Amino acid sequence: MIWGFLRDLLSGVNKYSTGIGRIWVAVVFIFRLLVYVAAAENIWKYEHDEFECNIKQPGCENVCFDHFFPVSHIRLWALQLIMVSTPSLLVVFHVAYRENREKHHNQKLYRSPGEIDGGLLCTYLISIILKTGFEVVFLVLFYKLYNGFKVPRLVTCDIRPCPSTVDCYISKPTEKMIFLYLLVATSCLCIVLNLSELSYLIFKYSIKCYLKRYIKKHQ
Amino acid sequence: MDWGALHTILGGVNKHSTSIGKIWLTVLFIFRIMILVVAAERVWGDEQDDFICNTLQPGCKNVCYDHFFPISHIRLWALQLIFVSTPALLVAMHVAYRRHEKKRQFRKGDQKCEYKDIEEIRKQRFRIEGSLWWTYTSSIFFRLVFEAVFMYAFYFMYDGFRMPRLMKCNAWPCPNTVDCFVSRPTEKTVFTIFMIAVSSICILLNVAELCYLLTKFFLRRSKKTGNSKHHPNHENKEETKQNEMNELISDSCQNTVIGFSS
């Protein structure tokens, strides 16, 4: 999986972020992306091969695995990383649009194309809301699909063609659970960072607006 | 996307480290990350496939493996390396923040004269002073804490640092006490001891760096109080100018930071 592209995207976004935004980028990059690539991927690598059912009936293992893991944890994790990083592209596109406009009109239209004000502020706020939304959606999806964030050692399965209720054993359940909790913890941290950034920006620009109006009144 | 990206980020921090900090970084990359990627991952690569239990009972092997290895050595080391490298980012963030402030100040002030001086001063050495000293010291402290916590967790989880050849398991659904054999126990023991030894060296380096910084801090303080008695105003002005120049170097030299620029 070419995660280098995501790394470059995050580096590009970093230029136009606030301080809290940069901390968010660092958290996503180091505690989520790097942990995923360096450690988590290998844990789930042979999950299907190592999933064992106490039966010789052909097809029973496949059917049971598919029943308990409709979408593998690791794939959901990857999707979450991609969806959560993508809203930042909106900001990059908007800045590029501003720079293009300045070139086209051959004059300075903005104080600085990368400065967060006016339309870019709206785009930035929308990207933060989308990021937070995706985080929450994926956490809820994880919770609903797997009945919480636990990974049991043993699951019982009685779907055709399994002849009776069969015991199936998941490989490395404890290790998977530890990394799932790490994923949830970093997701929650990112949600908190996004909400603080949102409040900070709204507060900052409300104060700015209010001061402008106050000065105008007195002039 | 791999450990190389971490190397790019930390490489930028390297410029602002002390000599001991640079040695620590080299030890981290060569004796820990490189060994992990090149050797250790191969040794632990087939750990579950070649973990064999003396039973045909399906599920017994999975359960016994999970019981004896709640989290694999290799994953624990990877997490340790990530957590131990992260405090250095505090320093990078602080430097980036200072650079941003200086840029803002110079936009208002007289820009051209200062830039000529900076070009010459860039070749001079950067010093860790003021609030950056506190950030740097806290980052070393956190590094130490993370190293110690992970080493203790390792010792606690695996009852020491030896990998036994044989483990006896009677977790359900194993029908009775079953013998389970670990793959490559000697090789794993050797690498475990090696990684623990390098961790200990890193802890020693961090402690040495901390002592060095504290000694420097107290010496500088005693010099300042000594100087202020003899030359109250002149020396302070010179020092503040030198401090400002040093901050400019740090800010202008830093080009990696959290930008992750390739």
Side-chain angles (χ1 to χ4, degrees):
Chain A
M1 185 86 209
I2 310 167
W3 290 105
F5 169 73
L6 203 68
R7 180 194 66 185
D8 295 334
L9 161 65
L10 287 173
S11 313
V13 163
N14 208 33
K15 275 185 263 173
Y16 312 120
S17 302
T18 60
I20 304 176
R22 288 180 185 168
I23 297 173
W24 176 87
V25 172
V27 168
V28 168
F29 191 76
I30 291 174
F31 292 103
R32 298 176 77 175
L33 196 53
L34 191 58
V35 167
Y36 174 91
V37 172
E41 249 184 340
N42 291 328
I43 302 173
W44 273 270
K45 204 170 179 184
Y46 300 112
E47 56 172 342
H48 202 330
D49 292 336
E50 290 164 358
F51 182 78
E52 209 175 353
C53 289
N54 189 3
I55 188 111
K56 281 195 173 182
Q57 169 67 46
C60 181
E61 238 178 55
N62 278 11
V63 162
C64 292
F65 183 85
D66 183 63
H67 179 255
F68 289 109
F69 301 107
V71 180
S72 168
H73 297 94
I74 202 77
R75 247 74 65 189
L76 268 181
W77 192 338
L79 276 175
Q80 184 187 26
L81 274 175
I82 293 169
M83 299 299 275
V84 151
S85 313
T86 319
S88 310
L89 272 177
L90 292 172
V91 178
V92 175
F93 288 156
H94 195 141
V95 173
Y97 164 76
R98 275 188 172 188
E99 284 170 352
N100 264 342
R101 245 186 112 205
E102 276 191 343
K103 254 193 209 169
H104 184 66
H105 291 271
N106 246 337
Q107 53 175 302
K108 202 170 161 74
L109 294 165
Y110 308 101
R111 231 184 334 176
S112 155
E115 202 177 316
I116 306 172
D117 58 6
L120 189 60
L121 173 67
C122 286
T123 312
Y124 199 82
L125 290 173
I126 291 170
S127 78
I128 296 176
I129 293 168
L130 280 174
K131 271 191 242 171
T132 316
F134 284 135
E135 295 270 20
V136 172
V137 161
F138 274 93
L139 280 178
V140 168
L141 202 60
F142 255 111
Y143 191 85
K144 292 272 168 182
L145 270 176
Y146 297 107
N147 285 330
F149 301 108
K150 291 199 182 121
V151 181
R153 271 187 188 180
L154 160 74
V155 286
T156 51
C157 171
D158 61 358
I159 306 163
R160 269 195 64 210
C162 304
S164 59
T165 306
V166 147
D167 291 335
C168 293
Y169 301 92
I170 298 173
S171 72
K172 308 191 204 178
T174 313
E175 203 166 3
K176 286 178 181 171
M177 203 167 65
I178 292 173
F179 276 85
L180 277 179
Y181 280 133
L182 187 65
L183 177 152
V184 172
T186 48
S187 276
C188 293
L189 176 64
C190 285
I191 290 174
V192 166
L193 285 170
N194 283 332
L195 290 174
S196 342
E197 199 179 2
L198 199 64
S199 343
Y200 163 73
L201 281 169
I202 291 174
F203 180 72
K204 185 176 163 191
Y205 286 93
S206 320
I207 299 273
K208 239 189 190 178
C209 248
Y210 176 76
L211 281 173
K212 266 189 193 168
R213 269 195 219 159
Y214 186 76
I215 292 168
K216 263 188 187 172
K217 256 189 188 174
H218 282 256
Q219 277 176 352
Chain B
M1 162 71 224
D2 53 11
W3 295 104
L6 194 68
H7 175 77
T8 315
I9 302 165
L10 292 181
V13 175
N14 199 27
K15 284 179 210 158
H16 310 287
S17 304
T18 61
S19 317
I20 304 175
K22 288 174 185 167
I23 296 170
W24 174 84
L25 210 66
T26 313
V27 168
L28 184 81
F29 276 105
I30 295 178
F31 293 103
R32 295 175 81 177
I33 293 179
M34 214 170 129
I35 295 287
L36 183 82
V37 170
V38 167
E41 273 183 2
R42 306 257 163 93
V43 174
W44 270 266
D46 55 4
E47 54 178 329
Q48 192 167 351
D49 289 338
D50 288 348
F51 180 79
I52 296 187
C53 290
N54 191 2
T55 186
L56 284 175
Q57 169 64 46
C60 178
K61 185 176 117 163
N62 276 9
V63 163
C64 290
Y65 181 86
D66 183 62
H67 179 257
F68 290 114
F69 301 107
I71 177 166
S72 167
H73 292 71
I74 207 90
R75 248 78 65 182
L76 209 52
W77 283 327
L79 279 179
Q80 182 183 17
L81 287 171
I82 290 171
F83 275 88
V84 152
S85 313
T86 315
L89 285 179
L90 289 174
V91 178
M93 282 189 211
H94 190 136
V95 169
Y97 169 74
R98 270 203 187 169
R99 184 170 66 148
H100 178 75
E101 289 296 305
K102 287 288 170 190
K103 271 188 186 168
R104 227 169 22 141
Q105 278 175 27
F106 282 115
R107 255 182 227 147
K108 296 172 187 172
D110 189 359
Q111 211 172 7
K112 286 171 190 174
C113 286
E114 298 288 353
Y115 269 121
K116 274 187 188 165
D117 282 342
I118 288 167
E119 285 304 321
E120 292 164 10
I121 292 160
R122 256 184 195 176
K123 292 167 193 171
Q124 287 183 25
R125 234 190 125 195
F126 166 63
R127 282 160 68 189
I128 300 165
E129 288 176 333
S131 57
L132 188 60
W133 183 91
W134 287 101
T135 311
Y136 196 81
T137 315
S138 333
S139 80
I140 297 176
F141 177 74
F142 281 118
R143 262 189 242 165
L144 269 169
V145 166
F146 287 138
E147 291 270 22
V149 163
F150 273 94
M151 273 183 78
Y152 177 72
F154 210 96
Y155 187 84
F156 179 74
M157 260 197 268
Y158 295 107
D159 278 329
F161 303 120
R162 245 190 89 239
M163 180 71 81
R165 274 185 189 176
L166 162 72
M167 292 168 163
K168 290 194 183 281
C169 171
N170 61 2
W172 194 85
C174 302
N176 49 42
T177 306
V178 147
D179 291 337
C180 290
F181 300 90
V182 179
S183 78
R184 309 187 216 219
T186 313
E187 203 169 4
K188 285 178 180 172
T189 308
V190 166
F191 273 97
T192 306
I193 293 174
F194 178 85
M195 293 297 263
I196 297 296
V198 181
S199 271
S200 315
I201 292 172
C202 284
I203 289 177
L204 287 172
L205 285 170
N206 284 328
V207 169
E209 199 177 1
L210 207 59
C211 296
Y212 167 73
L213 285 169
L214 286 168
T215 317
K216 228 176 128 183
F217 174 75
F218 287 119
L219 277 174
R220 212 182 298 137
R221 235 189 178 181
S222 57
K223 255 191 196 173
K224 263 189 188 170
T225 44
N227 281 340
S228 63
K229 281 179 190 169
H230 295 116
H231 304 283
N233 287 321
H234 178 64
E235 288 289 344
N236 281 341
K237 276 187 188 166
E238 287 259 325
E239 271 221 33
T240 21
K241 212 186 173 188
Q242 182 67 37
N243 285 347
E244 270 184 36
M245 282 185 184
N246 288 338
E247 283 174 14
L248 282 168
I249 306 160
S250 70
D251 301 339
S252 51
C253 279
Q254 175 66 318
N255 63 5
T256 310
V257 197
I258 313 276
F260 310 133
S261 53
S262 50

